Amino acid sequence: MASTVVVARILPPAEFGVATLVLAVATIMGAFIGLPFEESLSQRRQVRSAHLETALFVSMVLTGAAVLLSLLLGPLIEHWAAAPGFALYLVVSALLLAGQGPGAVARAVARRSRRFVEISFCQAAGTVIASLVAVLAALAGWGVWSLLLQRLLPNVLYPLLAAGFLWHRGQAMRTLVRWHPQRFRELFRLSWLSLADVGVGSAVPAVLAFMVNAVFGSATLGQLNIALRIVDPLRMALMGVGHNLAFSVLVRLQLDPPRLVRTAGEIVAGVAMVAVPAFVGLAMVAPVLLPLLVGPGWDQAVPLSQILCLAVALSLPFQFYDSAYSALGRPEYGLIGGIFALACMVAGFAITVGAGGRNAPAIAFLVYELATIAAVLFFALRLGRGNVAPASGRIGRVWLAALAMGAAIAALCFRNGVPEPSVPTLAVIILAGAAAYPIALLVTCRPCAQDFISLLRNRKS
């Protein structure tokens, strides 16, 4: 976030738009290189060195294919999307994906050993280093390159940092890059479904980016990029750490799907107590926070970020049902839900644009998240034999408390319109929300409030 604050004050929205297009395509290519094998290696009951060697071999081959594909398609996309420099940016981005495979293998091995602190540290350290490099690059006048380094450099840094952890413990991961047909076939079923699932999930931002660029132009796409950068850090932190922790609990219940779904529902309700007020509060402070962070010229990003915050507040807790499906080894659930949600997003964008809606990008994102909720609940009902009502009811009461908090903030801080952006104003809004939410939660859901207070006390201790 700090690097975004600096870079957004240096680069114009159009350069953010071009970077968004490049990263959208690079994300799809990266999804095919390492992520499916990470899930497959994590879920197998027994993993041999040959499985790791095969995963590394396939990821290296796919990286070469990504570079070749970039060389062939980059110029065509650059002409079609009217994005100057897109072809060169895409080729370099594909080269930076070389660390995706080794990183996926390192994460899978760490997940199997429940070394989640190590995963979090490597991810955080890689992000910090990449952010510093991005700021220096932006100050040096590198433009779009700084944005690409900010997002893609962590892919290269993660396996290096993971190797540093092993060296520090006196261990060495001597894994060769070799092809084992039998081991590939053993990984193939889960990898194929995970590959399709991750591919569809990665296609969502790409489809949205190219639709926005085609209809509204790269400047509006840049505004959407900044709006997403306000939402993504908190969302990625909650999902990155939360998924690993939830997976470690749920994987032990693989043989009892109803109990697994019930436990996942408890996790979903627990996450909602923190995530829903956090993102509702972020939506409330956006008119003050965004100008304070990124300066003038990003006015359109404010309503976009507010809609995105509400969309994530709705969907993020329910995404932990996907952790249950991952623990069951059923990636096809995510694939079916992803295809359904993608189709709904495209339809929502087309309808909103046809109605003359300026906020069509954010509304399409909201429709996608709502469709995702519908899909995960459908599968949870099937697996849990209707055992999702308690968690959903609790989330509903959490939402009542969060909306009451939003109403209190609006009455106290926005009764005369949007206040002048300043740090004291931001602090007052945050303190008002922090004071109002526990009181509202005590009224709407007393057990939730007791759990929330216990959580705060445990964190302080």
Side-chain angles (χ1 to χ4, degrees):
M1 175 61 75
S3 61
T4 298
V5 170
V6 177
V7 174
R9 292 175 177 269
I10 300 172
L11 304 182
E15 289 194 342
F16 274 85
V18 174
T20 302
L21 293 176
V22 177
L23 290 170
V25 178
T27 299
I28 295 177
M29 295 190 296
F32 285 88
I33 292 172
L35 292 179
F37 288 103
E38 178 183 342
E39 290 300 316
S40 185
L41 290 169
S42 300
Q43 294 167 13
R44 281 191 62 81
R45 294 185 181 275
Q46 185 179 34
V47 172
R48 303 179 185 275
S49 297
H51 289 114
L52 305 180
E53 293 171 356
T54 301
L56 286 173
F57 179 88
V58 174
S59 69
M60 292 297 102
V61 171
L62 291 173
T63 300
V67 173
L68 179 60
L69 199 62
S70 300
L71 289 169
L72 295 175
L73 296 182
L76 298 176
I77 298 175
E78 178 176 334
H79 175 74
W80 175 70
F86 180 94
L88 180 59
Y89 296 143
L90 187 62
V91 172
V92 176
S93 298
L95 289 170
L96 290 174
L97 295 175
Q100 192 91 343
V105 171
R107 279 190 298 272
V109 172
R111 285 172 64 182
R112 294 182 65 86
S113 303
R114 305 189 189 283
R115 299 198 305 268
F116 299 114
V117 173
E118 176 183 320
I119 295 174
S120 299
F121 176 85
C122 292
Q123 289 175 334
T127 300
V128 169
I129 295 170
S131 297
L132 291 174
V133 172
V135 170
L136 293 175
L139 292 172
W142 287 21
V144 175
W145 292 111
S146 62
L147 299 171
L148 300 181
L149 289 171
Q150 182 186 36
R151 186 62 63 88
L152 297 175
L153 194 56
N155 293 329
V156 179
L157 295 174
Y158 184 90
L160 299 176
L161 293 168
F165 258 97
L166 291 175
W167 177 81
H168 180 71
R169 290 200 303 267
Q171 300 174 341
M173 188 173 175
R174 299 185 181 90
T175 303
L176 301 176
V177 180
R178 294 193 295 193
W179 169 252
H180 300 274
Q182 178 61 33
R183 301 309 179 197
F184 177 75
R185 285 191 291 271
E186 291 172 359
L187 294 171
F188 187 78
R189 179 194 171 271
L190 281 177
S191 293
W192 173 252
L193 289 171
S194 295
L195 185 66
D197 179 22
V198 173
V200 170
S202 301
V204 170
V207 171
L208 182 59
F210 278 95
M211 288 193 305
V212 173
N213 185 70
V215 176
F216 297 103
S218 60
T220 298
L221 182 58
Q223 298 277 353
L224 177 63
N225 183 284
I226 284 294
L228 284 168
R229 285 170 182 255
I230 296 298
V231 177
D232 276 345
L234 181 57
R235 177 175 63 167
M236 292 173 67
L238 289 172
M239 286 302 302
V241 177
H243 172 70
N244 288 327
L245 294 176
F247 182 86
S248 66
V249 173
L250 297 170
V251 74
R252 302 171 189 171
L253 305 175
Q254 286 178 317
L255 301 180
D256 189 355
R259 186 183 171 198
L260 181 142
V261 170
R262 185 171 63 252
T263 304
E266 294 171 359
I267 294 172
V268 165
V271 170
M273 283 194 302
V274 177
V276 171
F279 284 103
V280 170
L282 193 57
M284 293 300 301
V285 303
V288 175
L289 179 64
L290 261 172
L292 201 59
L293 289 178
V294 299
W298 299 96
D299 297 340
Q300 191 180 348
V302 173
L304 292 175
S305 67
Q306 290 179 305
I307 298 173
L308 295 179
C309 285
L310 294 177
V312 174
L314 284 165
S315 69
L316 188 143
F318 289 99
Q319 290 178 21
F320 282 85
Y321 277 120
D322 285 327
S323 300
Y325 307 148
S326 177
L328 275 175
R330 302 300 298 268
E332 60 267 29
Y333 290 171
L335 174 61
I336 295 169
I339 293 172
F340 170 69
L342 177 59
C344 290
M345 183 190 76
V346 173
F349 183 85
I351 293 170
T352 308
V353 169
R358 287 183 48 124
N359 293 321
I363 292 173
F365 184 90
L366 174 61
V367 171
Y368 172 82
E369 298 293 350
L370 291 173
T372 300
I373 295 172
V376 298
L377 285 178
F378 173 77
F379 292 117
L381 285 168
R382 289 190 59 191
L383 288 172
R385 299 168 187 169
N387 211 1
V388 299
S392 300
R394 210 171 205 199
I395 292 173
R397 287 181 284 175
V398 167
W399 261 99
L400 287 175
L403 292 175
M405 176 196 73
I409 292 173
L412 289 172
C413 306
F414 292 88
R415 61 181 180 275
N416 296 321
V418 178
E420 188 70 22
S422 66
V423 173
T425 300
L426 183 64
V428 169
I429 296 173
I430 293 173
L431 289 174
Y437 176 67
I439 297 172
L441 192 63
L442 194 62
V443 175
T444 62
C445 184
R446 185 174 292 270
C448 302
Q450 292 170 346
D451 292 344
F452 183 71
I453 293 169
S454 298
L455 175 65
L456 295 178
R457 286 176 177 170
N458 290 336
R459 287 191 62 178
K460 290 178 181 178
S461 63

